């Protein structure tokens, strides 16, 4: 039987498994996603992706089609209608370079053999992604399953070696591109380039370049199963998270440098100086009384985010006091020094706003 | 209207018993509807003289459920017994249990669930909620367990008793255990064992059907025993069974046994 495989801070990720997987595979811009299930499963997700994408990057909405199962398909089995739907996807214009087939709860319940249908000779890669949430999965499971499925498009033998893959960026978060820029800046200080955003705004053929990186940088520790699978398959070492916090950002530089065998001491020194500069710009906050609030009563505190708050409170000489200005604990934790700077601007607005209100 | 369901281990003789029961009751001038609830769709075949009638799910698959009338799914067999087969998906795909639910919804909509007696003949193992459908929603109000004296057969009957006990806890449930039918395998002390099993699960032995070659002969001639050998002793047994079930007013909520109870109980009887 399946147990809930989510990480300890899982309550952040307890959404629909299908949504998590779609947040990944819809970033393969020349692919079509077939959702094998009732039409509502596709519609719900289409609406969400449409809203999110319109908000952040304005790129055309992803191509999703549904097998639109009804009761009779459930009784007699949905494999034939899935075949017909894949064939229909191949007829679309422009033709897809790959097709991701995502399962839903009901087709896994009746035991449709999605893998066998995908394994037929279709002319382009047709890749099954297991996304039935009732099997113990949540939003995060969908992301992991989708990344592992997308990895099947990778060539075993890398054409060129070196560079860094970013693995599992949070495509639905507002700061996704700012966070990527920050990580790229830090990697640049070590003389490293981003090789592949796995998976964000790529084409199917780009996925072939997954192998051969000097290091895979995972977005967060919940992606460990992906980092581990890629390490076993391609021998690529991984760093388990984007940088979080002042000291965490310096540790990130050291860790990446260590894995890639470069000298990171100059970069660490330089970054520490940048952090000093940021703190100096917010020195006016010293002595302010603040209280850190949970984002939402349903969500447990994110340990990393709470850690960043405490670290900054100490560095800036803030006084933590239940009566102080309420500052929302960030979700997710800010990435790198730039993420901290943006967060401190928000804190300052809240603290000054409260003072003016008095 | 009396609605009964026959449940029991696969191959124990539910369909044979049900078809002869229906034929016997029809002989009393009663209007009988027999519904086979098994993807194998062979419940009513002897009543239909060996012909395979189109199943409800075949028709749904071919035409969609909007274009089906009661006449398309209900077929008159021996003595005017009305026969329906639910059918199911091809073996190894889809969801047969959901098929049973869809069949019941369609029969309900077609107003086909009527007559003096409706007999539901159900797949041996209640493998999922769909196959418990005849016990739900007030369809079958009396369940008859068909079993021999063999342990695995009693084990299956005991499992169905569990399903009845579970369902009867629901507020609107009308499903009760009507009794136990012993379809004999000619084991020593078999009737006593099954009678004692029935007593221990808070029910009673309604009938013992002897093992008789005439049943196989009738089957080879694609008939029920009632039709093939109306004057035989076996036909008289089925007629009596029909009579007893039709008149039966005594039902119970079963108290199924735990597995170890069941085994030690079977052991007692082997030692006698």
């Amino acid at each position: 039987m399946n147990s809930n495989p989510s990480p300890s801070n899982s309550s952040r990720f307890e959404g629909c498994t299908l949504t998590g997987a779609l947040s990944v595979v819809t970033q393969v811009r020349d692919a079509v996603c077939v959702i094998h299930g009732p039409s509502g499963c596709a519609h719900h997700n289409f609406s969400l992706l449409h809203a999110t994408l319109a908000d952040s990057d304005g790129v055309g909405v992803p191509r999703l089609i549904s097998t639109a199962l009804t009761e009779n398909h459930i009784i007699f089995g949905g494999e034939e209608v899935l075949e017909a739907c894949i064939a229909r996807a191949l007829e679309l214009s422009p033709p897809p370079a790959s097709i991701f087939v995502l399962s839903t709860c009901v087709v896994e319940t009746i035991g449709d053999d999605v893998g066998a249908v995908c394994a037929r000779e279709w002319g382009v890669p047709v890749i099954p992604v297991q996304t039935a949430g009732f099997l113990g999965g949540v939003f995060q499971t969908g992301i992991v399953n989708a990344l592992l499925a997308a990895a099947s498009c990778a060539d075993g033998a890398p054409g060129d070696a070196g560079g860094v893959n970013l693995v599992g960026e949070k495509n639905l978060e507002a700061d996704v591109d700012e966070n990527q820029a920050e990580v790229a800046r830090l990697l640049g200080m070590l003389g490293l380039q981003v090789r592949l955003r796995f998976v964000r705004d790529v084409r199917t053929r780009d996925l072939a370049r997954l192998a051969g990186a000097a290091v895979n940088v995972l977005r967060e520790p919940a992606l460990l199963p992906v980092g581990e699978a890629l390490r076993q398959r391609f021998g690529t070492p991984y760093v388990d998270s984007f940088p979080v916090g002042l000291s965490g950002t310096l540790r990130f530089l050291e860790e990446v440098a260590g894995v890639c065998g470069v000298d990171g001491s100059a970069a660490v020194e330089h970054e520490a100086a940048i952090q000093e500069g940021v703190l100096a710009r917010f020195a006016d906050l010293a002595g302010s009384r603040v209280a850190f609030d949970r984002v939402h009563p349903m969500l447990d505190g994110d340990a990393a985010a709470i850690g960043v708050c405490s670290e900054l409170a100490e560095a800036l000489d803030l006084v933590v006091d239940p009566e102080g200005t309420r500052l929302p604990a960030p979700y997710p934790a800010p990435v790198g020094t730039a993420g901290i700077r943006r967060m401190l601007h928000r804190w300052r607005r809240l603290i000054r706003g409260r003072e003016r209100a008095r | 209207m009396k609605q009964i369901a026959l449940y029991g281990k696969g191959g124990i003789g539910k369909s044979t018993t049900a078809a002869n029961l229906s034929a016997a009751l029809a002989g009393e001038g009663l209007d009988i509807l027999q519904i086979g609830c098994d993807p194998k769709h062979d419940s009513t075949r002897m009543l239909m003289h060996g012909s395979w009638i189109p199943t409800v799910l075949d028709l749904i698959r071919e035409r969609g459920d909007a274009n089906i009338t009661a006449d398309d799914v209900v077929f008159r067999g021996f003595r005017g017994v009305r026969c329906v087969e639910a059918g199911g998906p091809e073996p190894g795909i889809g969801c047969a249990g959901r098929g049973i639910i869809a069949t019941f919804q369609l029969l309900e909509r077609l107003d086909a669930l009527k007559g003096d007696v409706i007999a539901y003949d159900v797949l041996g193992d209640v493998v999922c909620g769909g196959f418990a459908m005849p016990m739900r929603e007030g369809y079958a109000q009396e369940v008859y367990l068909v079993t021999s004296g063999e342990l695995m057969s009693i084990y299956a009957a005991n499992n169905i008793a569990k399903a009845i006990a579970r369902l009867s806890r629901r507020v609107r449930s009308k499903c009760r255990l009507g009794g136990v039918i012993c379809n004999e395998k000619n084991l020593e002390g078999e009737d006593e064992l099954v009678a004692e099993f029935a007593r221990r699960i808070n029910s009673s032995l309604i009938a013992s059907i002897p093992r008789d070659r005439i049943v196989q002969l009738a089957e080879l001639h694609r008939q029920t025993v009632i039709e093939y050998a109306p004057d035989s002793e076996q036909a008289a047994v089925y007629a009596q069974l029909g009579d007893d079930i039709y008149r039966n007013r005594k039902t119970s909520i079963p108290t199924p046994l735990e597995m170890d109870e069941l085994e030690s109980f079977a052991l007692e009887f082997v030692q006698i």
Side-chain angles (χ1 to χ4, degrees), chain A residues 148 156 216 224-238:
Chain A
L148 293 173
N216 288 329
L224 275 173
V226 180
E228 197 50 42
L230 297 179
R231 189 185 64 76
Q232 283 176 16
R233 187 168 160 212
F234 304 121
T236 313
Y238 61 87

Side-chain angles (χ1 to χ4, degrees), chain B residues 86-240:
Chain B
E90 295 289 317
I93 191 167
C95 180
R98 188 69 219 176
I100 299 295
I101 295 171
T103 299
F104 274 67
Q105 286 168 349
L106 182 71
L107 293 173
E108 191 90 65
R109 208 179 70 223
L110 298 177
D111 203 18
L113 296 172
K114 58 192 180 192
D116 296 315
V117 178
I118 302 180
Y120 302 95
D121 177 16
V122 193
L123 176 74
D125 298 293
V126 190
V127 287
C128 70
F131 289 97
M133 193 64 185
M135 299 190 214
R136 290 163 42 187
E137 321 288 334
Y139 293 122
Q141 290 153 20
E142 293 168 30
V143 172
Y144 291 88
L145 298 175
V146 184
T147 181
S148 72
E150 288 180 319
L151 181 62
M152 284 343 282
S153 169
I154 290 179
Y155 175 64
N158 191 58
N159 276 340
I160 294 152
K162 283 184 187 169
I164 300 169
R166 170 190 298 276
L167 291 168
S168 64
R169 286 200 293 270
R170 295 184 185 172
V171 179
R172 287 189 300 276
S173 173
K174 294 176 184 163
C175 178
R176 297 291 183 265
L177 180 55
V180 179
I181 297 167
C182 178
N183 202 25
E184 294 179 357
K185 289 258 179 188
N186 283 351
L187 306 174
E188 205 175 324
E190 191 171 17
D191 284 358
E192 291 75 14
L193 183 143
V194 175
E196 178 60 15
F197 165 70
R199 195 187 65 73
R200 292 204 191 180
I201 63 166
N202 190 32
S203 186
S204 57
L205 184 67
I206 286 271
S208 285
I209 302 170
R211 192 175 180 82
D212 194 320
R213 203 171 148 265
I214 197 105
V215 175
Q216 276 70 47
L217 281 176
E219 212 152 273
L220 288 171
H221 287 85
R222 300 171 171 186
Q223 289 173 4
T224 57
V225 174
I226 302 279
E227 183 175 11
Y228 177 71
D231 301 324
S232 64
E233 281 179 30
Q234 194 75 4
V237 170
Y238 286 125
Q240 184 64 47

